[in-house]
Amino acid sequence: MQPSLEKLRKFFRLEHENKYQNTAIIGGLAKMLDYWEGEARADGITEEVIQAVVSRLRSYEKISPDGRAESLKGLWKRIGETYPEAGQRPKQAQQPPQQKPPAQEAKPESRQESAPRLAPQQQSQPQQQQQKPRQNPPPRSEAVVGAKHSQTPAALSAALTVLQGVGPRNAEALEKLGLQTLGDMLYYFPRRYEDYSQLKPIQSLMYNDVVTVLGTVQSVHSRPIRGGKSSVIEVIIGDGTGSLRISYFNQPWLSNRFKEGEAISVSGKIDQYLGRLVMNSPDWEPVEVENLHTNRIVPIYSLTERITQKWLRNQMNSVITYWAPAVVDALPETIRRAAQLVSLGEALTQVHFPDSQARLQLARERLGFDEIFYLQMGVLRQKRDWKSVDGRRFSVSDEWLGTRLSALPFTLTSAQQTSLDDIRKDLDSGKPMNRLVQGDVGSGKTVVAALGASIVVSGGAQAAIMAPTSILAEQHYRNFIKLLAGDGGIMSQSEIRLLVGNTTESEKEAIRQGLQDGSIKIVIGTHAVIEPDVLFKDLQFVVIDEQHRFGVEQRAELRSKGTNPHLLVMTATPIPRSLALTVFGDLDISVIDVMPEGRQPVTTFVLRPQERERAYTLIRGQIKNGNQAFIVYPLIDESEKIDARAAVDDFETLSKQVFPDLKLGLLHGRMKPSEKDEVMLKFRDKEFDILVSTTVIEVGVDVPNSTVMLIEGADRFGLAQLHQLRGRVGRGSVQSTCLLIPTHEDATENERLQAMAVTNSGFELADLDLKLRGPGEFLGTRQAGYATTLKMASITDVKLIEKAREQAQALFERDPDLSQPEHALLAEAFERFWGAGKGDVS
């Protein structure tokens, strides 16, 4: 088979193992087309087949996992019709080989669940192995902490049906939990724990206690309830200090399991019934058996249909007890000692069945360290790769820059000046810039980007600025014209152009021509900037605003339009320190944390829904003083599924009943871009007193005259989004106010809303948002979402992150390619985690 088809099959097979999550390749399956098309043509693959592959993979990201499975299956069948050597095994793309021992493949459903199974101990003998290790790497979510290597016991790739009590039906149910092999079970961590290790005498029990009680069965009674439709088993146990009733509903077979005089251990929550303490349906065991479910810290696993907690715990115990100590640790002993970490075998054992809270904490720290460590090594490699190529130098004199700064209508803040100095050094370093500028809404990031662009343009090259919305692109365009083409500017207005979706076709053609011949120096736009027919004569500076709103491919597409261009990404979403250290560790970061002079912090209040009239009174007062107001809603129209107020519906009420004497405008996401722009321009030009809007105003609206914002359904927004919205007011010198009204009265105490009222610091709010909502709010599609797959590490644990980062940096300085013999296993595990790709550096 041609190498390009073999490569295609390999990725299809891996995609199947990853359950069609589009993670076989970092950045998505379509990413392979960058090189595969050329290889396929070199192999003589027909153009018809190449185009079939291209069209399927281009649309792959947009369809559901089930649709993806069908798409790849159909595509491989199509390839097999043209190339029979591929068609001989068409199901390879959907069903990886060697998933089950040969004996099972012959008649998978014929064996009964009660039939004997291979115990894990038998698997340890090479001559008894019936299962070869899987040939392909596991899904990366597994490899985060379970990064395999050549010394990983081959038996860990055995199918779960080797376990006693796991037949085809149970194996199918376990597969829904992502469990297919013994190795999968090692890394299927408990979602929480119940600490039953604190035994209490019955006389000391209190209502709501979660405890383990040891006692002797004194009596067992069964009685019907609900007219005989149900039954309850009542067992009285005593321990010499008192007696306790335990009840089991609709489990009549238990009446034969409890024997009077038998000592048992019961674990559960203490309840109350008719003034007496009781336990309902607790876990129980005779005390002479190993107290696996009671009298200890008990792991609680996520379950699926047909799988019970007790049954899964038993299976886990048999696998963990035998195999966890046998796992070979890829992390070098020197690093384990320096970071004071327990061994991997100890960590895996204790994270499933901890002997104490202290040992559980050490196990979690070790497994979390591994995740962050692999993450850090990859980020450091990306940074090295980015810096390994040459970038064009652009240098300007202090006099030249001083002239530019003196022409500005304001003085830069200290933070802006520091960021500009960083950019100036990067541009003159001989290496491509890869910098993130973060700062609150209104902190002045745009002027820093514009000055960076002016340095590049003065050196004869071009710059491109990409924004997520046409409104924001137009605002940047106006600012660039004012800053660079105004009085004392270095450019003419014709050298700076705006390219958005509703730019006329004739104007687009003129812009494309100007970029190609170099007469246009700066283009500012939306996705239109990365269209295939937009070509540059010499693109050397790329600015991406609100970078988390763009996909990996879109950022790469813009970068590819130049030769190793300098890259500046900007965000008004403050990045928490822990994320800056990990996920964004490949970027150099500049922080603009000083607001321009004259800006006053926005005062924020949380109002109860019945206090809405107070908000309306404040709005009327501000408008009477010549100011303007925003009223923001989470929805466009009312929804039966979501209980929240909506912009379109409330607009009628506000216009006719609440503010009949004022001029109101309506803005929402379903309007055409031209309609949105018209409404925003009218609001900016004071033709409207109040703008009723959805979150389309989150980025890109600069109306200094607006001094009050009312946010309805505020509890439905994340902190980062609320902070962005609030940044739309207070852009002038007048004291401004933000009013937050939650959906319901009981949401008034919402932690996010109260935090908004207490602080204006975007960084404090970002840290809290990270703890409350996780990293998704900050990451977008960066690195194909790897940080959201962390199983053990908390992305908020700065102490652990700094420890792992310190060790990764030290190792990277000694052996960046992990080529030394003592790092061989670590190198294999690292490659398994990151795969062949390098991720996305922007």
Side-chain angles (χ1 to χ4, degrees):
M1 189 190 305
Q2 290 90 330
S4 56
L5 293 183
E6 187 62 55
K7 186 174 291 185
L8 199 62
R9 179 164 65 184
K10 170 187 161 189
F11 284 121
F12 283 10
R13 187 184 302 164
L14 181 56
E15 182 65 9
H16 165 76
E17 290 196 10
N18 291 8
K19 298 190 169 32
Y20 301 100
Q21 296 300 310
N22 201 20
T23 54
I25 293 179
I26 295 175
L29 209 55
K31 200 73 178 167
M32 70 178 294
L33 295 176
D34 294 348
Y35 56 84
W36 185 85
E37 282 186 76
E39 291 180 7
R41 289 191 176 95
D43 286 345
I45 303 299
T46 67
E47 195 61 30
E48 191 179 356
V49 168
I50 292 173
Q51 291 310 313
V53 173
V54 169
S55 63
R56 291 285 178 97
L57 295 193
R58 287 269 186 242
S59 60
Y60 188 76
E61 181 184 31
K62 299 171 185 173
I63 55 180
S64 67
D66 287 344
R68 290 170 182 172
E70 287 302 312
S71 179
L72 294 192
K73 184 176 180 181
L75 180 56
W76 195 252
K77 184 178 179 183
R78 162 77 183 79
I79 292 170
E81 290 168 357
T82 307
Y83 297 95
E85 66 274 25
Q88 288 169 6
R89 297 158 71 190
K91 290 188 178 179
Q92 291 283 19
Q94 285 71 44
Q95 183 177 337
Q98 300 166 326
Q99 284 291 326
K100 295 193 171 189
Q104 282 186 296
E105 287 191 3
K107 43 179 184 176
E109 294 300 327
S110 63
R111 298 171 63 183
Q112 299 300 311
E113 296 255 346
S114 58
R117 298 278 175 263
L118 288 171
Q121 289 89 334
Q122 293 174 284
Q123 284 289 325
S124 64
Q125 301 302 321
Q127 65 270 29
Q128 291 177 322
Q129 288 180 11
Q130 297 185 23
Q131 170 74 20
K132 291 183 180 179
R134 287 188 293 182
Q135 299 301 309
N136 288 312
R140 196 175 61 188
S141 59
E142 172 196 324
V144 167
V145 290
K148 297 179 182 178
H149 46 74
S150 56
Q151 288 190 28
T152 298
L156 288 179
S157 292
L160 295 182
T161 44
V162 301
L163 295 173
Q164 192 74 29
V166 181
R169 285 181 73 246
N170 280 341
E172 186 181 325
L174 289 170
E175 192 169 348
K176 293 177 182 175
L177 298 174
L179 301 175
Q180 293 177 293
T181 68
L182 299 180
D184 293 339
M185 293 184 79
L186 288 180
Y187 295 97
Y188 188 68
F189 301 131
R191 60 186 174 87
R192 63 183 178 87
Y193 302 85
E194 295 282 13
D195 190 352
Y196 293 138
S197 59
Q198 304 301 313
L199 289 172
K200 264 189 171 185
I202 291 175
Q203 70 172 8
S204 302
L205 297 178
M206 303 284 287
Y207 174 65
N208 263 348
D209 277 353
V210 178
V211 291
T212 292
V213 177
L214 292 179
T216 303
V217 177
Q218 297 177 340
S219 65
V220 183
H221 295 289
S222 175
R223 61 184 174 85
I225 55 175
R226 296 175 189 148
K229 294 179 181 177
S230 304
S231 66
V232 61
I233 303 291
E234 292 180 338
V235 182
I236 306 296
I237 64 170
D239 68 350
T241 70
S243 59
L244 177 69
R245 174 179 296 170
I246 59 177
S247 303
Y248 294 91
F249 297 90
N250 291 324
Q251 299 179 59
W253 60 88
L254 287 178
S255 59
N256 297 320
R257 299 280 299 278
F258 291 105
K259 310 293 182 188
E260 287 190 21
E262 181 183 46
I264 66 170
S265 166
V266 295
S267 298
K269 185 178 179 181
I270 299 295
D271 226 324
Q272 206 163 14
Y273 179 69
L274 298 178
R276 296 187 63 181
L277 297 181
V278 298
M279 259 191 190
N280 292 317
S281 302
D283 281 334
W284 74 279
E285 286 180 337
V287 292
E288 59 267 19
V289 301
E290 182 191 2
N291 289 334
L292 179 59
H293 308 289
T294 57
N295 198 20
R296 63 172 302 137
I297 302 173
V298 178
I300 307 295
Y301 296 95
S302 295
L303 303 174
T304 188
E305 193 178 1
R306 299 206 307 267
I307 301 297
T308 67
Q309 195 65 244
K310 199 166 186 174
W311 181 87
L312 180 58
R313 210 179 286 139
N314 273 318
Q315 298 297 342
M316 281 289 185
N317 189 54
S318 65
V319 174
I320 302 303
T321 303
Y322 189 81
W323 285 113
V327 172
V328 178
D329 202 334
L331 202 64
E333 176 65 27
T334 52
I335 294 177
R336 292 205 301 272
R337 277 202 309 269
Q340 297 179 307
L341 301 170
V342 298
S343 70
L344 182 58
E346 160 83 357
L348 289 171
T349 301
Q350 291 297 319
V351 83
H352 285 281
F353 298 102
D355 293 331
S356 67
Q357 290 289 353
R359 294 187 74 177
L360 172 60
Q361 183 54 39
L362 289 173
R364 292 180 67 91
E365 182 177 351
R366 164 60 207 266
L367 296 169
F369 177 94
D370 282 12
E371 292 178 332
I372 300 296
F373 182 81
Y374 285 124
L375 203 57
Q376 280 295 304
M377 288 294 291
V379 161
L380 290 169
R381 183 174 71 174
Q382 286 176 209
K383 192 166 189 173
R384 180 196 65 180
D385 291 350
W386 180 263
K387 297 293 184 186
S388 66
V389 297
D390 293 329
R392 187 168 336 153
R393 289 179 181 272
F394 294 94
S395 60
V396 292
S397 66
D398 292 342
E399 292 76 21
W400 183 93
L401 190 58
T403 303
R404 300 284 77 73
L405 295 176
S406 62
L408 296 175
F410 48 79
T411 303
L412 294 186
T413 65
S414 57
Q416 285 174 311
Q417 186 64 59
T418 301
S419 297
L420 179 60
D421 291 344
D422 292 339
I423 290 170
R424 189 180 172 193
K425 284 176 192 165
D426 288 347
L427 291 174
D428 195 22
S429 68
K431 297 293 179 183
M433 176 200 298
N434 193 30
R435 183 168 295 279
L436 169 69
V437 173
Q438 57 168 324
D440 270 350
V441 172
S443 60
K445 298 182 294 297
T446 307
V447 65
V448 172
L451 289 166
S454 71
I455 293 173
V456 170
V457 168
S458 72
Q462 293 169 299
I465 291 84
M466 188 161 73
T469 66
S470 56
I471 293 177
L472 185 52
E474 288 177 34
Q475 183 169 299
H476 284 328
Y477 173 68
R478 288 194 299 271
N479 285 333
F480 269 62
I481 292 290
K482 190 163 53 179
L483 294 167
L484 303 181
D487 293 339
I490 63 165
M491 305 174 66
S492 68
Q493 190 163 331
S494 63
E495 291 177 307
I496 306 174
R497 300 299 291 271
L498 176 69
L499 182 60
V500 292
N502 61 350
T503 303
T504 63
E505 193 51 48
S506 60
E507 197 175 345
K508 282 181 180 175
E509 182 53 42
I511 293 171
R512 286 193 286 263
Q513 186 60 44
L515 290 172
Q516 209 161 350
D517 64 27
S519 58
I520 295 177
K521 303 298 184 188
I522 298 177
V523 64
I524 301 166
T526 53
H527 299 78
V529 173
I530 58 174
E531 291 295 324
D533 54 356
V534 177
L535 303 172
F536 293 80
K537 182 181 182 183
D538 187 18
L539 178 64
Q540 287 294 321
F541 189 60
V542 172
V543 180
I544 299 176
D545 198 10
E546 290 305 328
Q547 62 92 30
H548 65 288
R549 289 169 173 256
F550 292 103
V552 170
E553 296 85 353
Q554 292 165 324
R555 296 195 289 269
E557 186 71 34
L558 183 53
R559 272 208 320 272
S560 70
K561 291 182 178 291
T563 305
N564 301 331
H566 296 281
L567 178 70
L568 180 70
V569 294
M570 305 192 298
T571 181
T573 304
I575 307 298
R577 174 169 166 71
S578 57
L579 283 182
L581 287 171
T582 52
V583 183
F584 296 92
D586 57 321
L587 293 163
D588 298 311
I589 298 180
S590 297
V591 178
I592 302 182
D593 54 3
V594 179
M595 295 302 279
E597 198 174 338
R599 283 283 171 84
Q600 297 189 45
V602 179
T603 307
T604 304
F605 299 98
V606 182
L607 301 180
R608 298 196 303 277
Q610 57 265 44
E611 294 180 293
R612 191 171 280 109
E613 189 53 49
R614 287 180 59 194
Y616 294 157
T617 301
L618 176 64
I619 288 173
R620 284 192 195 93
Q622 288 292 316
I623 292 171
K624 189 175 178 182
N625 291 337
N627 299 312
Q628 294 166 279
F630 291 101
I631 302 180
V632 183
Y633 291 85
L635 303 176
I636 299 175
D637 299 305
E638 282 188 3
S639 164
E640 291 182 7
K641 296 179 182 176
I642 302 173
D643 181 15
R645 299 172 78 98
V648 172
D649 303 274
D650 269 23
F651 178 72
E652 293 296 315
T653 308
L654 291 168
S655 303
K656 294 174 182 174
Q657 298 175 27
V658 183
F659 303 111
D661 53 329
L662 301 177
K663 294 172 294 207
L664 278 70
L666 177 64
L667 182 67
H668 59 74
R670 282 209 299 265
M671 296 166 70
K672 294 176 183 174
S674 57
E675 293 172 335
K676 289 183 198 170
D677 297 343
E678 184 182 352
V679 171
M680 276 312 310
L681 289 172
K682 284 184 175 180
F683 185 57
R684 191 191 68 192
D685 297 338
K686 301 187 183 179
E687 292 184 38
F688 295 131
D689 300 307
I690 300 172
L691 183 62
V692 178
S693 174
T694 58
T695 56
V696 291
I697 61 152
E698 183 184 347
V699 291
V701 181
D702 191 354
V703 184
N705 196 50
S706 58
T707 58
V708 60
M709 174 177 285
L710 167 60
I711 302 179
E712 289 278 7
D715 53 308
R716 301 194 65 84
F717 298 97
L719 264 174
Q721 198 171 30
L722 285 172
H723 186 61
Q724 289 256 38
L725 289 167
R726 177 170 65 180
R728 296 295 130 214
V729 295
R731 299 178 78 83
S733 56
V734 179
Q735 175 64 55
S736 297
T737 306
C738 179
L739 306 171
L740 307 174
I741 300 183
T743 313
H744 300 292
E745 166 82 26
D746 56 7
T748 309
E749 297 303 317
N750 181 293
E751 190 175 353
R752 293 198 306 277
L753 304 191
Q754 293 303 322
M756 287 288 294
V758 170
T759 180
N760 265 275
S761 166
F763 292 94
E764 287 180 34
L765 294 172
D767 276 322
L768 180 59
D769 216 23
L770 181 63
K771 288 171 186 153
L772 293 175
R773 289 160 67 91
E777 187 89 359
F778 303 90
L779 300 181
T781 53
R782 183 179 170 78
Q783 306 290 13
Y786 61 62
T788 58
T789 68
L790 300 181
K791 294 180 178 182
M792 260 314 143
S794 167
I795 206 76
T796 62
D797 189 346
V798 175
K799 189 175 176 184
L800 178 65
I801 287 168
E802 288 181 331
K803 181 193 280 191
R805 180 179 172 82
E806 180 186 338
Q807 293 300 324
Q809 284 180 319
L811 178 61
F812 196 79
E813 286 170 10
R814 295 196 308 271
D815 184 15
D817 295 311
L818 301 178
S819 55
Q820 295 172 11
E822 63 269 29
H823 299 147
L825 295 184
L826 182 63
E828 290 178 32
F830 172 77
E831 290 302 329
R832 188 72 76 133
F833 168 46
W834 278 92
K838 297 282 199 301
D840 171 62
V841 290
S842 67

